[in-house]
Amino acid sequence: ICIKAYDLLSKYYDLPPVEIYLHKNIPHGAGLGGGSADASFLLKELNSFFKLQISEKLLMSYAAQLGADCPFFIKNKPVFAGGTGNIFESINLDLSNYYLVIIKPDFSVNTTEAFKNIRPQKPKISLKELIKQPVIEWKNSIINDFELSLFPIYPELKELKQKLYNSGAIYASLSGSGSALYGIFKTKPELKNVFSGIFYKALKL
């Protein structure tokens, strides 16, 4: 996707050959938007490095040609996304006093399968309102619709989500279409032994 991003800009701008080094520190096929972020940040880096002076709006338009969630990473900040993931509304969300744990089992979810089986539910209360609640209350009101269709097929994902809660998470969820999950913690978690044998990453937000 990085090559596609370079080729896309090359259609409109006279770019010389470049050497790209991509350092990945999140797993593939995890539902974390890693590939989309790689493409969008390359667009931004090429714009900056070659002083192309492409506006953010136009960069987002280019990014949309690479993938539905690529425009999000041009802004790269919390927003409420609509449309195909390219219409954004600013939201006030600050999780800087929390810790995040990301885990991923040793299998990936087939994206086509995930979208084929999902049955999106329109919430009674908009997510824009739900996130204004204290994070500790999200457990009872905010759900990733992919969980409803994927947990019966991949029961290990449901077990790992519960394991995050059992380990002290105040909110846990499948990330995107999976197979990664994340948990939000009030205090610094030390759970490498709990989730040994699978991808585990803990960081302060």
Side-chain angles (χ1 to χ4, degrees), residues 2-187:
C2 288
I3 295 173
K4 289 180 179 178
Y6 172 84
D7 288 342
L8 176 64
L9 277 196
S10 294
K11 293 179 181 178
Y12 306 100
Y13 304 90
D14 184 20
L15 298 182
V18 297
E19 181 177 344
I20 300 169
Y21 171 76
L22 176 62
H23 178 72
K24 295 284 286 189
N25 59 7
I26 63 172
H28 297 274
L32 295 170
S36 299
D38 295 338
S40 294
F41 272 82
L42 181 59
L43 290 178
K44 293 196 288 185
E45 180 62 23
L46 291 170
N47 184 37
S48 173
F49 188 81
F50 292 114
K51 299 180 174 55
L52 303 177
Q53 298 182 333
I54 307 172
S55 68
E56 182 182 80
K57 182 178 180 180
L58 185 53
L59 275 178
M60 289 174 62
S61 176
Y62 290 145
Q65 298 179 51
L66 299 170
D69 53 352
C70 288
F72 167 81
F73 292 102
I74 298 296
K75 285 184 171 292
N76 200 40
K77 63 180 182 180
V79 293
F80 183 83
T84 59
N86 62 335
I87 301 173
F88 303 121
E89 295 180 48
S90 297
I91 58 174
N92 184 18
L93 180 64
D94 183 6
L95 298 175
S96 58
N97 292 324
Y98 294 92
Y99 293 84
L100 185 73
V101 165
I102 300 171
I103 57 174
K104 181 189 178 295
D106 59 0
F107 63 85
S108 296
V109 171
N110 182 284
T111 304
T112 301
E113 178 187 34
F115 276 91
K116 178 181 177 182
N117 295 319
I118 191 173
R119 297 293 182 269
Q121 304 293 317
K122 186 174 182 178
K124 294 180 180 179
I125 304 174
S126 171
L127 183 61
K128 289 181 286 186
E129 298 301 318
L130 292 176
I131 61 168
K132 295 177 182 178
Q133 299 175 342
V135 179
I136 199 169
E137 295 182 17
W138 288 4
K139 179 180 180 180
N140 301 314
S141 58
I142 299 177
I143 185 170
N144 180 342
D145 286 337
F146 279 110
E147 294 181 7
L148 302 177
S149 58
L150 291 178
F151 280 3
I153 302 173
Y154 303 96
E156 184 179 348
L157 295 177
K158 184 177 181 179
E159 294 170 6
L160 286 171
K161 179 179 177 179
Q162 187 58 51
K163 205 170 185 179
L164 284 167
Y165 278 125
N166 294 345
S167 301
I170 59 173
Y171 180 72
S173 174
L174 187 71
S175 178
S177 58
S179 62
L181 300 103
Y182 65 92
I184 300 175
F185 293 76
K186 274 189 174 182
T187 57

